[in-house]
Amino acid sequence: MGVEASGPPAAGGGATGGRHRAAPPRRSSASATRPLALAAAASTAALLTALAASTAIAQTTPPPAAPPAADTPAPTDGTATNGNGQAATRRRVQLTFTVTGGTPELEEALRRASALVPLEADGAPDGDTIFRAALSEADRLRAALFAEGYYAGIVEMQVAGTTPADRDSRNAINAAFARGDIKVVVTVTPNRIFHFGKLVVVDEPGGAPPMVNVADTGILPGAVAKSTEVRAADAKLLLAMQNNGYPLARIVDRDVVADHETKLLDVTWVVEAGEPARFGRIEVRGAKDVNPEFIERMVPFEEGEQFRPGPLEEYAKHLRDLGTFDGVRVVPGDAVGPDGTIPIIVEVNERKPRFVGAAASWSTTEGALLSAWWGHRNLFGNGEQIRIEGSVSRLFLNAYDDLQYKAGFTFTKPAIYTFRDTLVVANYFVRETPDAYTRTGFDSDISVLRKYGEEREYSLGLSGTVSRVDDAFGNHEYALIGVPAIARFNYTDNRLDPTEGWRLLVGLEPSFGKIGDSSAMVQANLTASAYYPLDADRRFVAAGQVMLGSIMGPDLEDVPANNRFYAGGGGTIRGYGFQYVSPRNGKGKIVGGRSLAVANLELRAKVTDTIGIVPFVDIGAAYRSEFPDFAYSPKVGAGIGLRYFTGVGPIRLDVAFPLQKVKDDGPVAIYLSLGQSF
């Protein structure tokens, strides 16, 4: 869609009157780029750039351009050249970039859109690089103006004393490049801002009345007429028609008219709803080792329901979350059948079924942890997964008989009842040797997990444990049956590195067996965290977490040591030794508690796109009582962290100091791991 002027603007000036209408590309004219002053409202190519679905204005480096026409002569100054016939010396680009009027935010947007601004900082390897950047500069800047509602702006540019539209500009730029640095002057005059005027949605001639109206565009008459809002309105109209049950709806045309006298932008959308439809049969394409019937069982809607795009997105997400596919596409078919249904096409690309992996972490208080695993993503053809893993921890800081081990497997089977339900079976042999106790045992869990999107999940299961525990109270043997119930809520914007939102985990597990003089105990825990951005770019984020826990029923000495609560270390209060901020007996040996209260606070500052600094404070303790009674003061740890951001989450390095040292604490603790602390 372009701009067609009812009368050409004066050379060297912007469009000062008349109306300009968006037109098909074939009606565009290249003549608008010839004057020195390039009028934004008269540029067909610029409005194409601004209103098309592409986002060229977001680019920050010059795009590749077609080679100059055959009749453009090559440089003839006889300077030294590289293999492409260009001068081999890198030259500075002395750019004067001026915006007369507008807002600071507009100037920043123009600089981001510019192809010449990056050359000011980096220089140019040859004259043609500058020439190509200059060729695209006017359209890029006009698109940025349109994106902010300026349709009568003027872009003026000189590069080495010439303009890109001059026939000999390439020669002139290359000749200047051979002599030295290149002077570039860009001046942008935004002029007055435009607002939305008349907005109309009509049906394709001869078609049914439109199923949508102007309200569905999300645009209000009188609002600033940003071209980005016009593009977004297309998608909103299409979604509104599809939500009304019309899967093949389309935007037939869009007519945009800029009135330079009233400074209003009128927009007319021509839509075609097509036929209404209901969900039809599922057609699976691309499945090889995965059973197509299993893929069909994952569908979150019933055949015959009115078509809506939301369930298709949910269906695709369920399939992606399985981890079995590296590509999933769920779309309606090409036509509505005679019965009023439309087939749903599911295209999948299977991942390699087997995988292996390893991980490591380290801290000065707990030593190193090494783990490795092997797994299968589609064990029996219905998305079943198994992961066999082993780990060893407390390495390098402890004697051989103080190392910890864990080995076992986790098996998952999706869609056991509905598409939301997953069966999880886990069996592990464990040996734990923290300072508070030594435990050797076998843990087995079976549970059903039900997920509602990314936000909510619930699980209910049955657990069994057989173990021998040696602690400060003596030697104990336990055989317990538990019924764990867990609810998780996640309303953050990013699971690995959240910048906004909150999370909540609530767990409750009654356990039965011989537990001292009791036959049952109930363990409850709650972990809540919140994230708040302090600036628009979310480079500064305040993050906080609270952990609470309680064990009700038996006395402290009868509670299995591995079930008690402990504080201190990387997961609770940084700066202190692992479990050091916990109740002790008369001999100073850690015994743990029946309750826990811990709070963490961080200020996450992103210094660059890859480096972050995180000052933090942790406070809390474990207590002997069933509920935190704060019988003694909580301990405080503080420090600073370094984050290196990667595609799989940040790498975390924390240096923490105990502000109220306890027995055996060192002066500083260092933690290295993957992911934010919470």
Side-chain angles (χ1 to χ4, degrees), residues 233-457:
D234 290 358
K236 292 176 182 178
L237 286 172
L238 190 61
L239 180 62
M241 289 187 286
Q242 292 175 339
N243 279 330
N244 283 325
Y246 292 80
L248 303 180
R250 65 191 185 101
I251 307 295
V252 177
D253 195 12
R254 186 210 306 124
D255 190 49
V256 182
V257 178
D259 190 317
H260 292 271
E261 293 180 355
T262 63
K263 297 299 184 290
L264 294 178
L265 192 77
D266 299 335
V267 187
T268 299
W269 289 270
V270 182
V271 302
E272 181 182 275
E275 296 182 64
R278 304 185 307 277
F279 287 120
R281 67 186 186 281
I282 305 297
E283 295 183 9
V284 178
R285 300 173 183 175
K288 298 177 182 177
D289 297 324
V290 180
N291 187 348
E293 287 77 15
F294 162 72
I295 296 175
E296 294 176 17
R297 287 206 308 274
M298 294 293 293
V299 66
F301 51 83
E302 296 290 337
E303 186 172 341
E305 290 182 10
Q306 177 180 296
F307 176 88
R308 305 179 313 282
L312 299 190
E313 297 171 5
E314 184 182 5
Y315 190 10
K317 187 179 184 309
H318 288 325
L319 294 175
R320 293 189 194 100
D321 287 347
L322 293 173
T324 308
F325 308 106
D326 62 9
V328 176
R329 184 169 176 261
V330 180
V331 294
D334 296 330
V336 178
D339 61 351
T341 66
I342 189 166
I344 304 302
I345 312 301
V346 181
E347 298 176 352
V348 297
N349 185 28
E350 297 178 6
R351 301 175 68 182
K352 293 182 178 179
R354 296 170 183 82
F355 61 91
V356 295
S361 64
W362 172 82
S363 78
T364 57
T365 60
E366 300 164 42
L369 178 147
L370 300 176
S371 61
W373 57 86
W374 174 93
H376 199 291
R377 298 186 176 95
N378 186 37
L379 194 60
F380 302 124
N382 292 311
E384 304 93 343
Q385 297 196 23
I386 189 168
R387 175 178 166 127
I388 302 172
E389 60 187 321
S391 66
V392 56
S393 58
R394 294 174 62 85
L395 289 165
F396 310 128
L397 293 183
N398 302 277
Y400 175 78
D401 57 357
D402 282 337
L403 298 182
Q404 295 190 148
Y405 306 94
K406 183 177 181 180
F409 72 89
T410 299
F411 171 81
T412 60
K413 181 175 177 58
I416 61 164
Y417 180 61
T418 73
F419 67 94
R420 298 186 186 278
D421 304 315
T422 299
L423 175 70
V424 182
V425 179
N427 292 283
Y428 287 90
F429 291 96
V430 296
R431 184 174 189 271
E432 301 172 276
T433 60
D435 290 347
Y437 63 88
T438 297
R439 172 184 178 248
T440 303
F442 174 76
D443 297 329
S444 180
D445 296 272
I446 181 169
S447 61
V448 175
L449 174 68
R450 169 164 284 196
K451 294 187 66 174
Y452 292 87
E454 289 290 315
E455 294 80 20
R456 296 177 294 143
E457 65 179 54

Side-chain angles (χ1 to χ4, degrees), residues 79-153:
T79 58
T81 60
N82 59 20
N84 294 323
Q86 300 297 327
T89 304
R90 196 172 191 91
R91 301 294 194 189
R92 290 178 54 208
V93 175
Q94 299 177 353
L95 175 64
T96 301
F97 193 100
T98 304
V99 180
T100 57
T103 64
E105 292 76 18
L106 175 63
E107 180 171 354
E108 179 61 27
L110 289 165
R111 285 183 168 273
R112 285 197 305 267
S114 171
L116 289 168
V117 165
L119 298 182
E120 181 183 22
D122 303 334
D126 50 51
D128 274 359
T129 297
I130 302 172
F131 177 68
R132 288 194 298 269
L135 279 177
S136 67
E137 184 77 352
D139 283 344
R140 293 166 69 92
L141 295 181
R142 285 192 293 262
L145 288 170
F146 291 170
E148 298 299 325
Y150 295 89
Y151 293 86

